[in-house]
Amino acid sequence: MSIETQHIEYYDNGTLLEGFLAFDSILTGPLPGVMIAHPWAGRNQAMCDKAIELAELGYVGFALDMYGKGVLGTSTEQNSALMQPFVDNRGLVQARMITAFETFRQLTMVDSKCIAALGYCFGGLCVLDLARSSIQLKGVISVHGLLKAPDDIEYEHPIRASILVQHGYLDPLAPADELIALQQEFNERQADWQVQIHGQAMHAFSNPSANDIDFGTVYHQITDQRSWISITNFLSEVLM
């Protein structure tokens, strides 16, 4: 195994973005790829590490960028300010995710017909919106993601991607009514979907640095471990 990493610059509507790519250069390509959408703080080191972890499993990992090259929040207030324009304009989410997908699929080491997307928190919203666009993805995984459907976009076609939602039962940022609505939406759009609900888990259960009970963001080790097993099993299934 020889993991190679690269920074990939690309543009969306005039905004310079920078993704992080990781793959095993010993493996002969093209290889199945996994896009990784970041939480509200931006494309941080944790997302780059996740790309490397996926590369070690034989995928091409691509930590995409929603905000712009070098743009990272360092506080709750900054993170919220970075994310809010996308929450308010879900068409912007969809456009930027499609740009990332098109950038990724054109890389020579990537099997363009064998791509999945994995998103955390805000990134969960991003990958679910990519699935909603009916683009040719094999699968999407939302990990403690925001679940509310967009109200500024109308969809008609069935969802092509298989969907896995990893959800904490105690997540205050994705309440039960939104989870129920999500399941109804995906069922109506004929999606192959599954939801795994983890008891005692709050928002950000996979983030070891999350420890804000009042805000509802708390790391939960056993849920982190269990969900990762489910994620790797799901990827093995949809990217086989």
Side-chain angles (χ1 to χ4, degrees):
M1 181 181 298
S2 179
I3 303 301
E4 182 175 330
T5 63
Q6 301 175 10
H7 287 88
I8 306 291
E9 291 187 348
Y10 59 105
Y11 283 88
D12 178 61
N13 196 28
T15 298
L16 175 61
L17 305 158
E18 185 181 63
F20 177 88
L21 190 75
F23 60 97
D24 186 348
S25 60
I26 292 178
L27 298 178
T28 56
L31 303 171
V34 183
M35 301 165 54
I36 307 149
H38 56 73
W40 66 344
R43 185 190 61 75
N44 56 19
Q45 185 59 47
M47 298 298 100
C48 299
D49 292 342
K50 190 61 65 177
I52 292 171
E53 189 172 1
L54 288 164
E56 291 170 347
L57 295 176
Y59 304 110
V60 181
F62 180 62
L64 62 88
D65 180 9
M66 292 295 290
Y67 294 158
K69 181 176 179 178
V71 178
L72 287 170
T74 59
S75 67
T76 298
E77 293 75 20
Q78 288 181 4
N79 297 344
S80 181
L82 288 170
M83 180 182 71
Q84 196 60 46
F86 293 89
V87 174
D88 294 339
N89 182 357
R90 301 289 281 275
L92 179 60
V93 173
Q94 180 175 293
R96 192 145 294 181
M97 287 297 294
I98 290 175
T99 297
F101 173 77
E102 293 295 337
T103 299
F104 185 46
R105 69 186 291 271
Q106 293 174 26
L107 298 176
T108 57
M109 73 285 291
V110 176
D111 183 345
S112 63
K113 297 181 179 179
C114 202
I115 295 175
L118 166 65
Y120 293 85
C121 305
F122 165 61
L125 176 148
C126 294
V127 300
L128 291 174
D129 276 7
L130 187 62
R132 289 180 169 111
S133 75
S134 297
I135 204 165
Q136 191 62 57
L137 275 172
K138 290 294 187 179
V140 303
I141 308 158
S142 168
V143 184
H144 44 77
L146 305 180
L147 304 177
K148 187 176 181 180
D151 54 16
D152 57 349
I153 303 176
E154 292 186 6
Y155 300 103
E156 297 179 358
H157 303 293
I159 291 175
R160 299 179 180 183
S162 297
I163 298 168
L164 172 62
V165 175
Q166 296 285 336
H167 178 71
Y169 180 74
L170 301 178
D171 187 340
L173 303 183
D177 60 337
E178 292 182 5
L179 181 62
I180 292 171
L182 180 87
Q183 295 172 85
Q184 292 173 338
E185 173 198 357
F186 288 161
N187 216 47
E188 290 171 359
R189 294 191 63 198
Q190 305 172 42
D192 169 30
W193 63 270
Q194 53 185 302
V195 173
Q196 295 185 358
I197 301 175
H198 301 274
Q200 311 308 320
M202 303 178 79
H203 196 73
F205 60 71
S206 72
N207 181 359
S209 65
N211 188 30
D212 189 340
I213 294 176
D214 293 336
F215 192 53
T217 54
V218 178
Y219 178 61
H220 198 253
Q221 183 178 23
I222 188 63
T223 298
D224 183 21
Q225 294 169 348
R226 287 172 176 166
S227 64
W228 184 244
I229 291 171
S230 294
I231 289 165
T232 55
N233 288 341
F234 177 82
L235 290 173
S236 296
E237 175 190 333
V238 300
L239 297 179
M240 63 184 303

